[in-house]
Amino acid sequence: MRIDKAERQRVSETEPLLMSRTEAARALGGIHIQTVTKLARAKKLERVFVGRRSMLTVASVRALASGRTATPTPTPTRFNRRRINPAKTTADAEPAL
């Protein structure tokens, strides 16, 4: 099958549907690749597996960049990160002297 010049140019001008994590990081302003992975795991970027390779959809990267899918997350404070031991309760605590 022979592809003429116009067909070859049309194919080369089409926008890709998927991009790698590195390309997504570059497209999102140069953020770290691990940040892109965290966004994908948090379902803020749509991930597609091609064989064993993980690719991201261009549409989801654009949506995140435009702010349509990004939800603000509360900043963690010192108090909501601390773990509470369920074995110790205030009733079991020793009385103050």
Side-chain angles (χ1 to χ4, degrees):
M1 181 171 145
R2 203 170 163 152
I3 300 174
D4 61 346
K5 188 176 180 180
E7 179 69 16
R8 186 175 300 145
Q9 186 175 7
R10 186 187 66 78
V11 170
S12 66
E13 288 177 358
T14 60
E15 182 179 314
L17 301 175
L18 301 174
M19 63 174 45
S20 67
R21 290 184 312 150
T22 306
E23 293 169 336
R26 218 175 288 132
L28 290 171
I31 63 174
H32 198 270
I33 296 171
Q34 189 63 34
T35 305
V36 174
T37 303
K38 289 178 183 178
L39 288 168
R41 287 183 181 158
K43 306 289 187 204
K44 295 188 181 201
L45 289 174
E46 186 179 0
R47 190 165 39 169
V48 177
F49 288 92
V50 180
R52 294 180 69 183
R53 188 172 179 191
S54 170
M55 303 287 285
L56 302 166
T57 61
V58 173
S60 68
V61 173
R62 285 192 175 173
L64 181 69
S66 69
R68 287 182 289 190
T69 60
T71 57
T73 56
T75 56
T77 62
R78 193 180 116 201
F79 299 107
N80 67 5
R81 286 187 291 169
R82 193 175 355 186
R83 294 183 183 187
I84 299 172
N85 187 354
K88 280 190 173 181
T89 60
T90 55
D92 296 336
E94 295 178 22
L97 297 174

